[in-house]
Amino acid sequence: MKKLLLIALFIFFTACNSNSNNKPSFSNKKDNTEIKKENQQLDSDVFLTDTLTINKHYYIQKSRNKSFYCLTSIKGDTIIKPTDYYFDAEYLDINEDGYADIRVYAISNIPNQCDNYLYNKELQKFILIEDCDLNIQKIKGAPFYYSYNKAGCSDLNWESHLSKIENFRLINYGYILGHGCDFEVEKNPQSISIYKITSSKTMKLIQELPYLKNIPKNEDKWSFIERYWQKNYRTFEK
């Protein structure tokens, strides 16, 4: 263990050494075993290193001014390269295969914008999911995921995709556009439009639902989205 900690300290001084002037301040959340922390003052920035155990392998996470900065293996291989636009990381089982994956949140006006990395147990490495920049949620008992994204009018308009992960790329199968904006509803009626995305990537309207009947309060949209995709995902299989 002593030898391992010496290796970790060596990597701290050699890996993830890019500099930045962007200094967001957020708190980190991690569901991993923390072995050692060390502060270092560099160019008026505070760097923090955590040695983590993920899927029975050791990794070194580096933070800058309390914001996620980069991740390397204990051997020094770059897992997530240093960036200025990340602020937080989660280690969670995105695809529910029993292995921890990585979700890294980006500084954005979209609060749930992130990059998602799945753990490949055969290669024992993390692979970025292409075309996936939201905190997708898996549908229980199905190979589908759904997302949420605000679409204007103080988040009263929103959208949600139904997707699959195929060869580490997110492929969309369905789309919901929720128009809950209550401004000039006579000209712009509130509605929920549901589309099927075909193999040629065109969208076909398959259902139109009354908005207030299904979402009487703005906070009800979360449960509506989850219930709708859970109940109807089979309709969207290509």
Side-chain angles (χ1 to χ4, degrees):
M1 180 61 70
K2 182 177 181 181
K3 183 178 179 181
L4 177 62
L5 293 179
L6 290 174
I7 295 173
L9 287 174
F10 173 76
I11 294 174
F12 165 70
F13 288 108
T14 57
C16 302
N17 57 0
S18 297
N19 291 323
S20 167
N21 294 321
N22 197 349
K23 304 177 183 179
S25 179
F26 297 83
S27 61
N28 279 352
K29 47 187 175 183
K30 298 180 287 292
D31 299 324
N32 299 274
T33 303
E34 179 180 291
I35 299 176
K36 183 176 176 63
K37 292 184 178 181
E38 178 152 339
N39 286 310
Q40 183 183 19
Q41 190 77 19
L42 294 175
D43 299 329
S44 75
D45 291 334
V46 177
F47 286 85
L48 174 69
T49 57
D50 297 340
T51 304
L52 309 175
T53 303
I54 311 171
N55 300 325
K56 299 182 180 180
H57 295 281
Y58 291 114
Y59 297 88
I60 295 180
Q61 176 182 289
K62 190 171 183 179
S63 303
R64 181 177 186 173
N65 298 334
K66 298 183 180 181
S67 294
F68 178 90
Y69 189 56
C70 63
L71 183 74
T72 65
S73 71
I74 197 70
K75 297 179 181 179
D77 299 322
T78 299
I79 310 302
I80 301 176
K81 64 182 180 180
T83 63
D84 298 328
Y85 53 83
Y86 289 142
F87 71 88
D88 203 2
E90 285 185 296
Y91 301 92
L92 70 168
D93 190 355
I94 295 173
N95 58 353
E96 298 181 357
D97 66 347
Y99 292 87
D101 307 304
I102 306 174
R103 175 169 289 161
V104 193
Y105 287 92
I107 299 170
S108 170
N109 60 348
I110 302 172
N112 56 332
Q113 183 174 334
C114 57
D115 287 333
N116 297 276
Y117 295 78
L118 290 186
Y119 184 73
N120 185 308
K121 61 182 179 180
E122 285 78 23
L123 299 177
Q124 296 187 1
K125 63 184 293 186
F126 292 96
I127 300 176
L128 177 68
I129 305 173
E130 296 183 42
D131 301 324
C132 181
D133 58 1
L134 296 173
N135 58 337
I136 55 173
Q137 306 295 318
K138 193 171 189 302
I139 295 176
K140 297 295 182 183
F144 282 97
Y145 301 78
Y146 68 90
S147 64
Y148 174 86
N149 192 13
K150 59 184 182 179
C153 195
S154 300
D155 206 14
L156 292 174
N157 294 340
W158 50 268
E159 58 184 4
S160 177
H161 280 93
L162 178 73
S163 313
K164 280 186 180 180
I165 299 173
E166 301 175 4
N167 297 320
F168 295 95
R169 179 186 294 273
L170 198 69
I171 306 297
N172 294 324
Y173 283 71
Y175 175 73
I176 299 177
L177 177 61
H179 188 270
C181 190
D182 54 5
F183 179 71
E184 294 185 345
V185 292
E186 291 185 2
K187 295 181 180 178
N188 303 287
Q190 296 168 298
S191 63
I192 301 172
S193 303
I194 301 168
Y195 299 83
K196 182 174 182 177
I197 300 176
T198 67
S199 56
S200 60
K201 297 184 179 181
T202 58
M203 294 200 304
K204 178 182 178 181
L205 181 66
I206 62 171
Q207 195 172 16
E208 194 91 22
L209 298 175
Y211 196 93
L212 293 179
K213 181 179 178 179
N214 291 276
I215 306 177
K217 297 179 181 179
N218 188 43
E219 57 267 25
D220 294 332
K221 61 188 174 184
W222 313 111
S223 57
F224 168 82
I225 293 169
E226 181 179 9
R227 285 196 313 271
Y228 185 88
W229 289 133
Q230 181 73 58
K231 181 179 179 181
N232 298 285
Y233 69 85
R234 292 181 181 86
T235 303
F236 299 85
E237 297 233 49
K238 294 178 181 177

